[in-house]
Amino acid sequence: MRSMWRTLDGAQARDIALVCLAVGVIGVSYGAASASAGFPWWFPALTGMLVLAASSEFLFLGILAAGGSPLAALGAGLLVNARHLPFGFAVPDVLGHGWARLLGTHLMNDETVVFAVAQDGLPRKRAAYWTCGLGILVCWPAGALLGALLGSVVHDTAALGLDAMFPAVIAALILPALKVRTTRRAATAGAALALALTPALPAGLPVLAGLAGLVFCCNTAAPDPGSDLP
């Protein structure tokens, strides 16, 4: 596995480290919110390790804190995580085999899949997927545990602005890609669709629907002038 990770270049490793750090900071916010809602300190750390899906965990916590039933919270979380179904079709060859495949499936999330599909060649895809996945597996529960401990001291966690770090890091990572016209067009269409559907769909699903913007990434290059085709 060490040789697999060596296939990552410095820039790729830096980007993955930044995302894992941002996930850890969001974990602090999740843990603090859990403590403020009256949950024990171990609850966000345990769910962070077993679920490893920030959006569904936040939703699950919010429903329980508002007095909803655990079954309703579980159903909402499963609905949000339905986006993992197409993720599985996108990266079936990077998950490994046997017990490693079970762990690889557990590590599947938005960040690991994005880093994997952005690479050229199977070795680089696997390296990016597993490095990001294992990094998040450490940073997310650790951040949640730290946040739970801080939650008993800092009651107004929203004042810290921790939830702004993750989108800020993601925006910094995608800005270079927006120099490409087709990518910019696809991102704009996907964002507009997700925003339009946000009032009508549960949290997490508008982002999944925004993937429809990928149709604008189709090759629209003009035919070769030297071609004999009509």
Side-chain angles (χ1 to χ4, degrees):
M1 184 160 294
R2 181 181 303 175
S3 61
M4 179 181 69
W5 290 343
R6 289 175 180 172
T7 61
L8 293 175
D9 56 35
Q12 189 67 40
R14 180 203 62 209
D15 292 345
I16 292 176
L18 286 174
V19 168
C20 291
L21 176 61
V23 167
V25 173
I26 296 299
V28 174
S29 178
Y30 169 63
S34 176
S36 299
F39 290 93
W41 62 269
W42 51 263
F43 177 81
L46 181 63
T47 58
M49 292 182 61
L50 298 180
V51 181
L52 201 63
S55 56
S56 62
E57 289 177 56
F58 270 110
L59 182 60
F60 183 85
L61 175 66
I63 293 176
L64 291 183
S69 70
L71 288 179
L74 177 62
L78 290 175
L79 182 61
V80 170
N81 279 351
R83 68 187 188 280
H84 288 195
L85 292 175
F87 286 174
F89 290 113
V91 290
D93 50 351
V94 304
L95 301 180
H97 304 280
W99 289 104
R101 191 172 186 86
L102 292 177
L103 176 60
T105 303
H106 183 57
L107 299 179
M108 185 181 298
N109 52 53
D110 304 50
E111 295 81 19
T112 55
V113 172
V114 167
F115 275 115
V117 299
Q119 306 306 309
D120 295 324
L122 183 57
R124 288 180 61 86
K125 290 179 182 292
R126 285 178 174 169
Y129 183 91
W130 282 89
T131 302
C132 183
L134 292 174
I136 290 177
L137 182 62
V138 172
C139 292
W140 174 250
L145 177 60
L146 178 60
L149 297 177
L150 292 175
S152 59
V153 179
V154 182
H155 298 287
D156 186 12
T157 57
L160 300 177
L162 297 176
D163 55 341
M165 181 175 180
F166 187 73
V169 170
I170 296 299
L173 293 176
I174 66 174
L175 282 177
L178 296 181
K179 295 178 181 179
V180 181
R181 180 180 299 178
T182 54
T183 302
R184 188 167 59 247
R185 188 164 57 232
T188 302
L193 180 60
L195 287 174
L197 294 177
T198 294
L201 295 179
L205 293 186
V207 177
L208 181 61
L211 293 175
L214 292 175
V215 299
F216 290 91
C217 280
C218 296
N219 185 10
T220 55
D224 183 2
S227 173
D228 294 331
L229 295 176

